[in-house]
Every structure is written in C-alpha cells, then in structure tokens.
Amino acid sequence: MLLKRMLHLLEFDKIKEQLQKHAATTLGKEKVSELLPFFHFEQVAHALEETDEALTVIRLKGQAPFGGIRDVRAAVQRSVIGGMLNENELVEIETTLHGARRLKKFIESVQADDEADVPILIEHCTQIEPCNALEMEIRRCIDRDGRISDDASPELKLVRNQLRSYESRIREKLEQLIRLSDNQKKLSDSIITIRNDRYVIPVKQEYRSSFGGIVHDQSASGQTLFIEPNAVVMINNQLREAQAKERVEIEKILFALSEKVASYSDTLQLNVKQLAMLDFIFAKAAYAKKVNATKPKLNQNRYLRYDSARHPLIPSEEVVPISLELGGSYDTIVITGPNTGGKTVTLKTVGLLTLMAQAGLHIPVAEGSEATVFEHIFADIGDEQSIEQSLSTFSSHMTNIVSILNHINERSLVLFDELGAGTDPEEGAALAIAILDHVHHIGARCVATTHYSELKAYAYNRESVINASVEFNAKTLKPTYKLLIGVPGRSNAFEISKRLGLKASIIDAAKRQVSSETTSVDNMIIELEKTKNKAERELAEAKRIRNEVEIDKRQYEAERQTFEKEKDRMLKAAEQKAKDAVEFAKIEAESIIKELREYRKNGVKEHKLIEAKKRLEAASPQLVERKQNVSKQKTREKFAIGDDVELTHLSQKGSIIEQIDDGEYLVQVGIMKVNVNASQLKKIAPKKPEGERSFISVKGNKPVVKTELDLRGKRYEDAQVEVDRYLDDAVLAGYSKVAIIHGKGTGALRKGVHELLQRHPNVKSIRLGREGEGGLGVTIVELR
C-alpha cells in the first residue's frame, strides 16, 4: 500500500506512460505496464546495464527491427487444446518467427562485428530458437494476403482447378445470353453478378418468363429480378459442390498447421517471452535517448549525487536543472523558503529519479552522477497551495507520516513535503524537528521541505544535516527554481511588499516587530547567498578557462594528426619515387641483358654473362616498405618449390625454384633468377578457376517466388518485413535481379525501402526503374 501510494505521489506511472510510447509491440507495452523499481543492488545493476547495451546498439546500428512481431500466445494456446487457427493467426505466427530471426541476426551482428560487447542482449537472443520448418510450412501453405495457396495440398489444387473451370463455363454461357441482341432490352444491365453465392443476371420484371430458371433476389423497387437461368443451374450446382469440397480441404490444411503450431508451443511461448523482454529493453533505451538521460554510477554506500538533474515530466525548455548529493557529508537536507518557490519540484525530482534508476531506467542527469539502491522509498507529498489548512489535512498527513516512521530503516530514503504544516506553527515546527531527529537517528537518508523559520537553525545545530533553499529574484518577484545547497531560504516578504508599493513607514514598523535574532539570521542568509553566488561565478569562470584549454588541446591534437598525415604522405611519395627508380633500373637492366646476349652470340663467354647479371642485381636499389604498428620481429614464413610469391621490395611477382638456405630462396622473376630473403617474400594464394561458384540445394516443397514484390498500400513497418523475407526467397530461388514495386506517392515508402536495401547483405546494387519498367514507382535490385 505504501509503495503504491509512493509511486502515485512521485508520478512514476506517468513515466511508464511515456515509456510505453517507445515500445514497438503490444508485448513490450505489456512489459512496461508491469514495471516496478527493484530494491536489490544486483537487480538494479543488471537492469541499468541492459538499458545501456540497447542504447549502444541504437547508437551504432539504429533502432532494432521489431516489424511483424505479434502477441501470438493466445493462438498458440488454442492450438495446444486442439483448436483450429485461422489464416490470419497463422500468418501472425509466421511473421513473428521471421521477425524474431531478423531481430536476433541484427543484435548478434553488433557482437560479431566487434563493434560493442552486449552480453545481456546476446543471452536473450540465445534463448530465441528458430522454428524454420514451421515458418516455411506456413509460408508454403498461406500466401502474403492470408489466402490458402493452391499448392498447400494436391487435393486443394485439383478442387480449385475445377472451381475455375465451372466459373469459366458459367460466365461463358451467361455472356452468350446477355450478348444476344434479343435479350438486350430484357435486361436491366448487361452484367453478370452473384446472389446467394450463385451467378445470376439482372432481368426486367416483365421479362421474367423469357429466361426461366430461379429468382434469387430483386431490386428495392421490384422492377429488376436477379435470375439464375436454366442453362447454368446444373453448373452452378456443381460449382457449389466444389466450393464445399474446397472448404473441407482448407479446414484439413488449417487443422494440420494448427497441430504443427501446437508441437512447437513451448518454443513459441519462450520466443515470445524473450521478444517481449527485448522490446521492453529497447523501449527503455529509446526513452533514455529522447530525454537525454545517462547511466548513473551505482554504489552500495547509500550515497547519491545528481548533477544537473532535470525532472523528466517538465518540458525541456522550462525545466531548471538542480544539483545535490545525499549520504556523503550530510544525510539530511532541509529545504526552507516560501511556497511556490520550487521546493516540492526538487523533492519530486530526487524521489522520481531514484525510482527510475532502481527500475533500470537511465536518468536525466549529467555524466558521472551517482545513484544508490534503497530498500524502501517513502514520500509524504501534498499540494499545500490548493487545499485548506485544517485539522483534517494535518491528520491525513500525520497518519501517513506515522506509517512511514513505523517502516523505515537505515537503508530508506524519506521525502517529507511541508513537514509539520497544517497546525499551529510553533507546535508544527517542534514536531518537524522531532521527526527529523528520529529519522536521522535511525540512519535513513532524508530530504524535507518546510516554510518554518525555526528549521533554518536546525541544520546548524546538527551534524550531517544541511540547509538548502530555492533562489528567489526579489527584483522580478519570481522564483528562479535554482537550488542553493548550504543556504537557508528567507521569506522576502519585506522586499516583495516594497516592490509592490507598500509605504516605507509600514515596512519599517513591521521590521521593528521582528526579533533581532530573526534579523541576524536573515542578514546571515543574505551574506551566504552573496558568498555562494560569488563562488559559483568563480567556478563558472574556472570551467570556462578549462573549456578553453580543452579546445586548445583538441586543436593541437588535430594539428599534430594533420602533421603526421602530411609526413606519411611525403614518405609514401618518396617511397613511390624510389620504386619508380627501381622500375627504371629494371628496364635498363633488361636492355643491358639484351645487349649481353648479342655479345654472347659474338663469342662472349657464359661466365662473363653471369657475372654481368650479378652486378646488375647487386646494383638494384633495395627498398623496405614502411609499415605502421607492426612488430619488427616477424615469424619467418616457409615456402615450397613452385609457390607463387610477391617480392614486396620490388612489387614484382615470381615463383620459388630453389631454397638456398633457411632464410633465402631463388626466385624466377620473368627471365631473371633472383636470390631473395624470405622476409621480402609474400605468398600469393592460387586463384579459383573462373566460373566456379557455390550452389545451395533446397530440398522439399517451396513456394514459387515471383520476380517482383508489390508493396503498394503497405505500411513501412510491414513493408520492411516483406522486403527482407522476399529477398531471402529470391536468393534461394537463384534470381540475380528482382523488382520492388512501391509506387510513387509521397516518396516516403520508396525512401524507407531504399535505406533497407542499401544495408541488406544480399543486395549488390539498386536503381530506379527506366521507361517501360515502372519509372519512379519501381526499384530494380541486383542481388549478390
């Protein structure tokens, strides 16, 4: 009861309403509606971490795909007890299975690409078991429009062929009747229509006997009769019999599919559970992104520090951030000052953010903020500006406070709004002090608001207690809603009255009525405010200087990186120049060798020719490619005779013809044989013969895949699912090119389809249709 009241007072239900808007499925929305804060450290830490993982995935990959996923638990349960599922229910099961596979692949790709470590999400994905056989069987039997396919069974295909034959014969006979010139005047309209599932023609009432047959209906005026002529009565009867056979066969197919669903019931129920959890987790992440929330550091020391905390239910352009800590230097904060200054908002901000953190939600605070886990969170908050101060109000608040005091311990967070209000000020202040003393003695963390001046001195007389106030601008007569820690609030009554035009003599007389102690306290508060404002200005100046230093540091780093890039560019240019010199030397060498051959023909000795070659090899420039971040000590690669290799220092290719010793090989490069160190050789993998490719063999029945997919009239979410599934089918069918028909319209569907196609692993390229292909309404997709 206390928890429910506390959640209501701190408006946690409104946070859940906002959170539900980010859930993609009814499964996720249901999970959000069940959300409650945790009160154990491990649970809170796990819930915060899973939200952080989903936020990382969104940042790297975009929003997770939940299209096609439906709540199929009721349908699955009906199949278990022997019920027959209809076509729509089966299609929803199939799209849910497809959507689950797609979502699992999406999340696993983050881990597989080493972009981020998301163990909690991967654990949920691991528990999603594919039901490929069930998915493919439903897809084989039911087309995308929810109609049983002709190929669902041989019997159905035969019956439907008969149906089409009967319908064709009936239409042919009726068209012969209505085309006869003698019959034109006897018909109200030259059309064939259906009444009571039988084909009929509209005949004028006075020509009823001209056609014979059966009257099935008449117009409202009675001037037109819908008659089934004798010529088609027998064929219509045959058609009705075939239709009855079709219904029986469809029921057999639906029952068979329902039994198959029942055999997968445990897996389907588990999959739905994991899909609900994943949608819930990604909803938490999407909400965190929307309100610019961060993951707080979590501790077990009953210590919280919220920097630049914002109440999530106040519009971002209106909310004033507050900063406070509790559980470090002080355990109790007493916020004093006049009403309408923002004290209650501060109290609710602390309580609501603590609830959100313990529910696994990121909270709207600055990076580096800390949160803790309380076993109990209690709140007594009332709108003292809108209800009459009376004994009944005091009794109501005191009843709630008594209940709170009976349940608190050292691991509790207690929030009191206008503590002691609703009764005699002197007695109320005394009660407030006694209650705060009791809470402080137990060791609970406490934030209390009050307008009693007696509590201003309370913090100065107690250890681990501090005053706070909400700043008020006496010039504009409006609160700034800025929280001042360490400075008690003051009423500002004299300043406000003076600004509103009250005579100075009256104000002076009023001041004389105030005790010297109160005046001293107010003067002290004024000095504290001045000192705090000065300190904040100096802090802001220090932050400004630090920011300037950070900017200079980043600029220096950018310039250093530019310098390094330019240095690398120049080195590469120099290396390229050297390589060009080598190439030139090689050409020159080949020319010399050609000349030497001529000399050999004219009697030059062979050993002189060999010596000349060696001199040429020795004269060749030796270049070592510059590598970054590579260890100098590399494992020496082994080569075999016949291996194709690349000479890395010359950018030439050759083959091993002899191993001279452990680290040197004789390599054939063109017409030259060169001694090369193993460190300057790189093995080249042999090429696959052209035309060699892999084929996937798919056994069993599969649906015929068209070369085009029509998305016109579809919602983008459902279109995503259909495109993804269709591309899988097209690849399995061996198509190299397909067409996606999205229509022209506003272009939104086309844009979404293009974004999906551009990142799909099976898509090689896309283009809009040309003249004769559908133009802007069609996208031609080339598959890998």
Side-chain angles (χ1 to χ4, degrees):
M1 185 65 184
L2 281 174
L3 176 62
K4 184 177 180 181
R5 174 181 170 82
M6 178 267 300
L7 294 174
H8 173 72
L9 290 174
L10 296 176
E11 302 177 293
F12 186 71
D13 289 340
K14 292 183 179 179
I15 296 296
K16 288 164 61 173
E17 290 174 7
Q18 291 189 353
L19 185 58
Q20 276 190 324
K21 296 175 183 177
H22 296 277
T25 68
T26 56
L27 295 166
K29 294 181 190 298
E30 180 182 307
K31 199 74 180 171
V32 171
S33 68
E34 299 169 354
L35 178 62
L36 289 173
F38 300 105
F39 296 97
H40 296 286
F41 181 86
E42 292 75 14
Q43 292 175 311
V44 176
H46 184 274
L48 285 172
E49 184 59 29
E50 67 186 14
T51 305
D52 197 52
E53 286 186 12
L55 200 56
T56 299
V57 172
I58 291 174
R59 186 173 64 251
L60 293 173
K61 295 282 191 178
Q63 187 59 49
F66 284 92
I69 296 173
R70 302 287 186 269
D71 184 0
V72 297
R73 290 173 296 183
V76 172
Q77 190 57 37
R78 272 203 309 113
S79 73
V80 171
I81 61 176
M84 184 187 77
L85 306 184
N86 60 40
E87 292 91 328
N88 289 335
E89 289 172 322
L90 290 164
V91 167
E92 285 189 352
I93 290 172
E94 185 268 330
T95 60
T96 299
L97 288 171
H98 181 78
R101 281 196 300 109
R102 186 163 173 252
L103 178 64
K104 181 175 182 177
K105 182 179 178 182
F106 172 84
I107 295 173
E108 289 177 342
S109 68
V110 178
Q111 190 102 332
D113 297 341
D114 292 329
E115 296 184 73
D117 189 26
V118 287
I120 298 175
L121 296 180
I122 292 296
E123 175 62 25
H124 286 296
C125 287
T126 302
Q127 297 184 54
I128 296 176
E129 295 185 30
C131 304
N132 295 335
L134 175 61
E135 181 185 346
M136 294 301 295
E137 181 66 8
I138 294 175
R139 195 185 304 178
R140 185 184 71 81
C141 294
I142 305 177
D143 62 25
R144 290 184 174 89
D145 297 323
R147 182 174 179 270
I148 299 294
S149 171
D150 290 0
D151 295 322
S153 73
E155 293 80 4
L156 182 63
K157 190 169 187 176
L158 177 63
V159 170
R160 284 193 171 161
N161 286 337
Q162 291 176 346
L163 284 171
R164 283 187 280 270
S165 174
Y166 292 144
E167 288 173 349
S168 176
R169 288 168 58 193
I170 291 170
R171 285 186 173 278
E172 184 180 348
K173 288 183 175 295
L174 292 178
E175 284 173 359
Q176 289 174 356
L177 284 175
I178 63 179
R179 279 200 303 266
L180 290 174
S181 57
D182 291 345
N183 291 337
Q184 293 290 319
K185 65 178 181 179
K186 302 176 182 177
L187 300 173
S188 298
D189 201 352
S190 298
I191 61 171
I192 300 170
T193 185
I194 295 175
R195 289 293 187 276
N196 298 327
D197 293 330
R198 298 177 79 91
Y199 286 91
V200 296
I201 55 175
V203 180
K204 294 178 181 178
Q205 200 275 340
E206 59 268 27
Y207 295 107
R208 171 179 177 175
S209 59
S210 299
F211 293 90
I214 304 169
V215 177
H216 287 280
D217 199 3
Q218 66 179 12
S219 64
S221 64
Q223 297 301 310
T224 299
L225 301 177
F226 293 94
I227 295 177
E228 177 186 1
N230 285 329
V232 296
V233 169
M234 186 177 67
I235 307 176
N236 256 331
N237 289 340
Q238 292 173 326
L239 177 64
R240 291 295 295 274
E241 290 175 5
Q243 288 172 341
K245 291 179 181 178
E246 179 192 33
R247 285 193 294 271
V248 170
E249 189 58 33
I250 287 175
E251 284 188 3
K252 285 171 61 179
I253 293 167
L254 291 177
F255 266 118
L257 289 174
S258 300
E259 288 176 356
K260 198 170 187 67
V261 169
S263 69
Y264 283 88
S265 61
D266 291 342
T267 301
L268 288 169
Q269 295 286 9
L270 179 61
N271 285 357
V272 168
K273 181 180 178 181
Q274 296 306 318
L275 291 171
M277 193 65 194
L278 286 169
D279 188 18
F280 167 65
I281 292 172
F282 275 95
K284 292 194 297 178
Y287 176 69
K289 184 179 179 182
K290 180 178 182 296
V291 299
N292 195 25
T294 63
K295 177 188 174 185
K297 296 179 181 177
L298 202 62
N299 66 76
Q300 302 187 68
N301 304 323
R302 298 181 296 147
Y303 170 76
L304 62 84
R305 189 187 78 251
Y306 296 152
D307 297 327
S308 299
R310 308 178 307 278
H311 196 292
L313 298 177
I314 299 176
S316 57
E317 64 276 6
E318 298 177 14
V319 67
V320 177
I322 63 170
S323 297
L324 59 78
E325 64 175 309
L326 192 63
S329 302
Y330 41 85
D331 302 333
T332 301
I333 299 176
V334 179
I335 307 175
T336 55
N339 291 337
T340 71
K343 300 193 304 295
T344 302
V345 172
T346 299
L347 201 69
K348 286 187 173 183
T349 300
V350 175
L352 183 55
L353 296 194
T354 302
L355 284 175
M356 289 174 63
Q358 292 192 203
L361 300 175
H362 286 192
I363 55 178
V365 294
E367 290 282 355
S369 295
E370 293 195 48
T372 189
V373 180
F374 294 103
E375 287 182 3
H376 308 96
I377 301 174
F378 300 108
D380 180 64
I381 299 174
D383 188 357
E384 297 298 330
Q385 288 89 54
S386 63
I387 58 175
E388 183 183 355
Q389 299 289 327
S390 63
L391 181 61
S392 60
T393 300
F394 174 76
S395 299
S396 174
H397 281 288
M398 192 50 62
T399 299
N400 189 37
I401 290 171
V402 169
S403 180
I404 290 173
L405 296 180
N406 287 336
H407 290 87
I408 62 172
N409 59 23
E410 71 280 0
R411 298 201 62 82
S412 299
L413 172 64
V414 186
L415 307 172
F416 290 126
D417 187 32
E418 297 296 349
L419 185 60
T423 187
D424 177 78
E426 186 175 350
E427 292 182 353
L431 272 172
I433 291 171
I435 291 170
L436 289 176
D437 277 342
H438 179 74
V439 173
H440 185 257
H441 175 72
I442 288 175
R445 304 295 186 248
C446 178
V447 182
T449 69
T450 180
H451 57 265
Y452 290 138
S453 59
E454 288 85 350
L455 269 74
K456 296 175 184 178
Y458 175 78
Y460 294 105
N461 299 326
R462 304 292 194 285
E463 290 185 3
S464 302
V465 181
I466 194 168
N467 273 318
S469 61
V470 181
E471 189 178 57
F472 188 89
N473 191 327
K475 293 182 179 179
T476 62
L477 305 182
K478 293 181 179 179
T480 65
Y481 301 107
K482 183 179 179 182
L483 185 66
L484 304 175
I485 299 293
V487 179
R490 51 196 180 97
S491 67
N492 301 294
F494 295 149
E495 289 84 351
I496 294 172
S497 299
K498 185 177 181 180
R499 293 277 298 172
L500 293 175
L502 188 64
K503 291 181 179 181
S505 58
I506 298 175
I507 294 174
D508 291 340
K511 286 181 177 179
R512 288 194 293 272
Q513 300 298 320
V514 177
S515 68
S516 59
E517 289 183 2
T518 302
T519 303
S520 298
V521 170
D522 282 345
N523 291 335
M524 178 190 69
I525 292 172
I526 293 171
E527 290 301 318
L528 280 171
E529 288 180 354
K530 289 180 180 178
T531 303
K532 188 169 184 66
N533 288 335
K534 181 182 178 183
E536 288 181 349
R537 287 195 300 271
E538 292 176 351
L539 178 62
E541 178 66 14
K543 286 182 178 179
R544 184 188 65 78
I545 295 172
R546 185 181 67 183
N547 289 338
E548 289 178 356
V549 171
E550 288 290 333
I551 291 170
D552 290 343
K553 181 181 177 182
R554 287 195 294 269
Q555 185 175 352
Y556 164 76
E557 183 63 25
E559 290 175 354
R560 188 187 67 78
Q561 290 180 4
T562 302
F563 169 76
E564 290 291 337
K565 289 178 181 177
E566 181 64 17
K567 183 176 74 173
D568 287 345
R569 186 191 66 78
M570 293 176 70
L571 284 171
K572 288 177 181 177
E575 289 178 358
Q576 185 60 46
K577 187 175 181 180
K579 287 181 180 179
D580 292 342
V582 171
E583 189 65 28
F584 177 77
K586 284 171 58 184
I587 295 171
E588 195 71 18
E590 289 176 359
S591 176
I592 293 171
I593 291 171
K594 186 177 181 181
E595 291 179 11
L596 288 173
R597 284 177 176 163
E598 292 295 328
Y599 293 154
R600 185 173 64 178
K601 290 178 181 178
N602 297 325
V604 178
K605 300 297 182 181
E606 182 68 25
H607 70 274
K608 290 186 177 180
L609 181 63
I610 294 172
E611 287 175 1
K613 287 182 179 179
K614 286 184 177 179
R615 288 200 302 275
L616 286 173
E617 292 170 7
S620 297
Q622 298 295 313
L623 298 178
V624 179
E625 285 206 21
R626 187 170 172 273
K627 302 281 185 179
Q628 291 185 348
N629 299 327
V630 177
S631 171
K632 292 182 180 179
Q633 299 298 326
K634 300 177 79 174
T635 303
R636 186 171 291 168
E637 191 172 6
K638 297 291 184 182
F639 301 91
I641 294 174
D643 282 353
D644 293 329
V645 293
E646 180 183 358
L647 285 69
T648 58
H649 62 300
L650 296 175
S651 297
Q652 293 293 315
K653 296 179 180 179
S655 61
I656 304 291
I657 59 175
E658 182 181 348
Q659 181 175 354
I660 297 173
D661 58 32
D662 186 50
E664 193 170 359
Y665 294 84
L666 185 63
V667 183
Q668 181 79 46
V669 184
I671 63 170
M672 298 178 64
K673 297 176 182 178
V674 186
N675 292 350
V676 185
N677 189 281
S679 63
Q680 296 175 324
L681 294 176
K682 180 181 178 182
K683 188 179 291 186
I684 301 173
K687 292 184 178 178
K688 282 187 177 181
E690 284 188 20
E692 182 179 334
R693 55 179 297 184
S694 301
F695 292 90
I696 298 174
S697 175
V698 180
K699 295 183 178 180
N701 293 329
K702 65 176 184 177
V704 177
V705 182
K706 297 181 179 179
T707 57
E708 63 182 30
L709 173 65
D710 192 347
L711 299 176
R712 288 174 294 184
K714 304 283 186 182
R715 292 187 310 155
Y716 175 61
E717 181 183 69
D718 293 329
Q720 267 191 309
V721 179
E722 291 207 22
V723 170
D724 189 74
R725 183 169 56 190
Y726 174 72
L727 292 177
D728 288 347
D729 292 345
V731 169
L732 288 174
Y735 294 160
S736 61
K737 186 184 294 184
V738 294
I740 307 293
I741 305 172
H742 42 64
K744 298 178 182 178
T746 63
L749 181 58
R750 179 179 67 238
K751 180 181 177 183
V753 169
H754 279 195
E755 289 177 355
L756 173 60
L757 292 172
Q758 286 167 355
R759 62 174 184 265
H760 199 283
N762 292 334
V763 174
K764 183 176 181 182
S765 65
I766 63 172
R767 64 173 174 82
L768 289 172
R770 301 191 182 101
E771 186 175 352
E773 291 180 334
L776 298 178
V778 174
T779 294
I780 306 301
V781 183
E782 187 176 357
L783 301 175
R784 295 185 189 278

